[in-house]
Amino acid sequence: MALGPPPVDDAEVTPAFPRFVHETLPQRVSFAAGEAADAVSEEVRRLGGSRVMAIATDADRAEPVLAGVPVAVLHTDVVRHVPVEVAERARAAAREYDADVVVSVGGGSTTGLAKAVALTSGLPIVAVPTTYAGSEATDVWGLTESGRKTTGVDRRVLPRAVVYDASLMLGLPVATSVASGLNALAHCVDAMWGPRADPIDQALALEGIRALNAGLPRIVAGPREVGGREQTLYGAYLSAVAFASAGSGLHHKICHVLGGMFDLPHAETHAVVLPYVLALNAPAVPDLDARMAAAFGTHTALAGLQRLRGEVDAPRSLRDLGLAERDLDRAVGPILEAAPPSNPVPVTAEEVEALLHAAYEGREPA
Ligand code: NAD
């Protein structure tokens, strides 16, 4: 019998997608509301850990989570944006206590410090996130030195396991929850058109938008309801997976420049800037706009985002975050340098300037 490819002359050969490669990051993820201690102890056991370095901002929040784990040291010296000297102290503690597994319990700053330890030691991380930042699902690390933020990608910093326990977040203040959830939503939006965005990233991002759009108003209505917290965590996880694969789009580049230059609060900066980037990009990609709009249940993605922002009383302006208007123009050059060439619309200095001034004032995005 003759072998070989089937005849193609009568086949329809137009593919559904341009050629793409999607890489899935290897990680175990548990959703375990109210059962973090059990799940963390199982993950540490699977990793063969007998001397755990626990990293947390808040010992009281972390201790119940660590109940079933052999803790060699609980390290609480966590500072936002991971200054290098803070990273060095944590690395020294890991060596001093001969740690074999790192367990982080906290927001993006805490996960970030665990990643700094893993980057140089190769120690495996079990991450227990307590905000919606999503760092736990990415292989991106960040450090700051003399006010300059450096980021990099390294497989060693990807947590081997993540334990999501929504009950740990019942005390996260509503305003912080809203900003953090909108940071997650920004991961979804950027994942639609990031430099490596593919159809799988987009599917994850759209489900992330749907979950965050439903979960955040539930948190505002009932901050101590586990269901709304867990729905938001689910959306935050999807957003981070999509974002890690798609890479930073224009929105993240803008926020990265602003955050690094002016030491602005991370989540709030994302929450303020997102509608302006959406207003700039979405009209150029009507198909993506329509799919995001469907996830929001509105006519356009911007209408959906603005409705959600109104419902949850989102942070409005860069002015409210303490930025001075005279500083805005200094950010334009670095943003233009960082803007991805694949952005749906070419980005000009005038557009960036207009975007920053509108975000500064909290004007309705055009
Ligand atoms: P954060 O970790 O600094 O936490 C914000 C505040 O919330 C802190 O004061 C913290 O103590 C408090 N908090 C955290 N959990 C709490 C809880 N359950 N109850 C009460 N208070 C709680 O901020 P963040 O927004 O989570 O993370 C921001 C950092 O994460 C930035 O440095 C950012 O660059 C980084 N990040 C990295 C990635 C990545 O992929 N590498 C992704 C997203 C964010």
Side-chain angles (χ1 to χ4, degrees):
M1 188 170 59
L3 291 175
V8 292
D9 32 352
D10 64 342
E12 175 49 74
V13 291
T14 311
F17 307 110
R19 179 174 171 171
F20 74 90
V21 174
H22 178 86
E23 205 174 336
T24 302
L25 296 180
Q27 185 175 62
R28 275 170 59 86
V29 180
S30 313
F31 276 77
E35 297 178 17
D38 246 27
V40 168
S41 132
E42 185 188 339
E43 296 305 335
V44 169
R45 189 184 48 73
R46 286 176 68 96
L47 291 166
S50 61
R51 299 188 57 76
V52 166
M53 176 179 190
I55 302 184
T57 36
D58 184 323
D60 289 343
R61 199 161 43 240
E63 271 160 8
V65 174
L66 300 167
V69 162
V71 176
V73 55
L74 172 57
H75 187 86
T76 55
D77 175 17
V78 178
V79 178
R80 138 174 137 180
H81 300 320
V82 199
V84 279
E85 58 280 9
V86 174
E88 279 309 326
R89 288 201 291 271
R91 289 164 177 164
R95 284 192 299 272
E96 185 187 340
Y97 288 91
D98 195 20
D100 52 14
V101 171
V102 178
V103 175
S104 61
V105 185
S109 302
T110 309
T111 314
L113 185 58
K115 285 177 162 183
V117 172
L119 182 64
T120 52
S121 66
L123 289 178
I125 301 172
V126 177
V128 186
T130 63
T131 68
Y132 308 107
S135 173
E136 66 280 359
T138 81
D139 53 3
V140 179
W141 55 266
L143 287 168
T144 44
E145 185 164 21
S146 336
R148 254 199 79 235
K149 190 165 176 182
T150 320
T151 59
V153 176
D154 195 304
R155 197 53 69 82
R156 280 176 303 181
V157 309
L158 177 75
R160 297 277 197 91
V162 181
V163 172
Y164 286 115
D165 178 348
S167 73
L168 299 175
M169 313 181 80
L170 298 179
L172 188 67
V174 169
T176 315
S177 304
V178 164
S180 187
L182 290 170
N183 182 189
L185 194 62
H187 291 144
C188 296
V189 170
D190 248 5
M192 297 301 287
W193 47 52
R196 299 184 303 274
D198 66 41
I200 296 171
D201 303 333
Q202 290 166 344
L204 294 170
L206 290 166
E207 172 65 359
I209 291 175
R210 199 200 54 73
L212 294 164
N213 184 51
L216 278 174
R218 278 177 74 179
I219 292 177
V220 173
R224 298 197 58 78
E225 186 226 338
V226 170
R229 296 283 185 180
E230 191 165 49
Q231 190 163 28
T232 307
L233 262 182
Y234 163 69
Y237 165 70
L238 294 177
S239 83
V241 173
F243 176 71
S245 169
S248 279
L250 179 65
H251 171 83
H252 276 77
K253 296 296 185 188
I254 293 175
C255 293
H256 186 90
V257 169
L258 294 177
M261 270 185 145
F262 308 119
D263 192 28
L264 297 180
H266 178 85
E268 288 76 0
T269 306
H270 282 268
V272 168
V273 171
L274 185 59
Y276 301 97
V277 178
L278 191 58
L280 179 71
N281 278 350
V285 276
D287 169 52
L288 299 182
D289 188 26
R291 294 173 72 198
M292 287 189 279
F296 278 115
T298 45
H299 189 56
T300 65
L302 185 60
L305 176 63
Q306 294 301 70
R307 184 184 70 188
L308 174 64
R309 286 170 48 81
E311 273 174 37
V312 301
D313 194 18
R316 291 255 151 229
S317 70
L318 294 175
R319 176 171 35 210
D320 291 347
L321 303 186
L323 194 66
E325 189 161 22
R326 64 175 180 279
D327 285 335
L328 287 180
D329 294 343
R330 271 204 291 136
V332 175
I335 288 173
L336 284 175
E337 264 173 51
S342 60
N343 193 58
V345 292
V347 187
T348 65
E350 294 68 39
E351 270 160 350
V352 173
E353 238 173 79
L355 184 154
L356 291 179
H357 283 273
Y360 173 80
E361 288 171 19
R363 259 185 271 136
E364 197 56 33

